[in-house]
Amino acid sequence: MNAESASSAYLSEASDLSTTAVGGISTTQYSGGRVDGIVNGLALLDDRFKCATVTINCTGTRLHPVGTITITFDPSCSDKRGVKRSGSIVINYNGRRWMPGSYWTIQFVNFYRNDTHIEGKDSVSTQISADSLHLQFQSILTGGQITFGDGKTITRVHNITREWFRASIPMNDEWHNLKGGTATGKCKNGDTYQMQITTDLIHKVSCLEDKVFIPVSGTKVITVTTLTTTDQYTVDYGDGSCDNNITVTLNGKVKTITVNGEGD
């Protein structure tokens, strides 16, 4: 069960960084039509970019932007949470920024977070919420795999829609993984899991300061299948406080546990 939470946290980081990169690039660079070069200033929006060089290569036109954004990390550099990243995240985008129907793909290239190797391809399409107030992004992840320093792996595929609640200060942004999203994968010990979001899962950007990469409220159901049993866990992420504690219910028994980043 912890494997599902850990895999979600590791793989959703690329979505956060990609959204910041797409949003932080000037209109001229994003849709200028073959205007290439280095993108500056993203570290002011997100500290994780202080250890990265971001470049853009435009191949489209002003009316139909197409291009590639590459985030390349310096392996000798740590962010203020002590995390080192290496390798690249490559974003291929198509369409006008934040317009329904535009889309991009996120691909990991030899990407490590500390000694953890992260792989997969995330295809993201832009849409608008029913009340037309917030942007939504449908994320379809394929080939997701996390390999830890001990050589053990977690796998993941998912189909999740994320809604972006933008604040005047980016640090106060929220991301809501909407009810109905699903994920499947395999745990480090070979057990399989299925996940369904039953109440919107809310991520707060401000909680990253406290090394909290999981949701801070919302619920989901995780079904874990072993060689001999199938167990269904209900996971409650709490009241919105920035912590790594979750409340788990199994067969009527309730337990509070602290999620770690190793998928154990």
Side-chain angles (χ1 to χ4, degrees), residues 153-218:
T153 64
I154 300 171
T155 65
R156 180 183 180 89
V157 298
H158 74 218
N159 187 337
I160 292 173
T161 298
R162 309 173 77 221
E163 189 165 346
W164 188 12
F165 287 74
R166 301 181 72 176
S168 57
I169 301 173
M171 184 58 68
N172 294 328
D173 284 0
E174 291 184 1
W175 284 95
H176 294 202
N177 289 357
L178 301 184
K179 176 182 176 180
T182 60
T184 60
K186 184 176 290 187
C187 308
K188 289 172 73 172
N189 61 4
D191 296 344
T192 60
Y193 67 82
Q194 295 179 307
M195 182 281 295
Q196 183 166 23
I197 300 171
T198 49
T199 306
D200 292 1
L201 302 178
I202 299 176
H203 295 255
K204 292 182 179 179
V205 174
S206 59
C207 291
L208 297 175
E209 295 285 339
D210 299 314
K211 299 183 180 181
V212 176
F213 304 102
I214 64 173
V216 296
S217 65

Side-chain angles (χ1 to χ4, degrees), residues 12-67:
S12 65
E13 180 181 61
S15 294
D16 295 340
L17 290 168
S18 299
T19 304
T20 299
V22 170
I25 289 172
S26 71
T27 300
T28 299
Q29 282 191 301
Y30 183 86
S31 58
R34 304 186 184 279
V35 177
D36 303 338
I38 294 176
V39 179
N40 296 309
L42 295 180
L44 298 175
L45 302 174
D46 189 320
D47 170 76
R48 290 172 288 186
F49 282 98
K50 81 171 190 178
C51 295
T53 299
V54 181
T55 58
I56 186 168
N57 177 26
C58 301
T59 57
T61 66
R62 288 180 174 84
L63 294 179
H64 191 101
V66 178

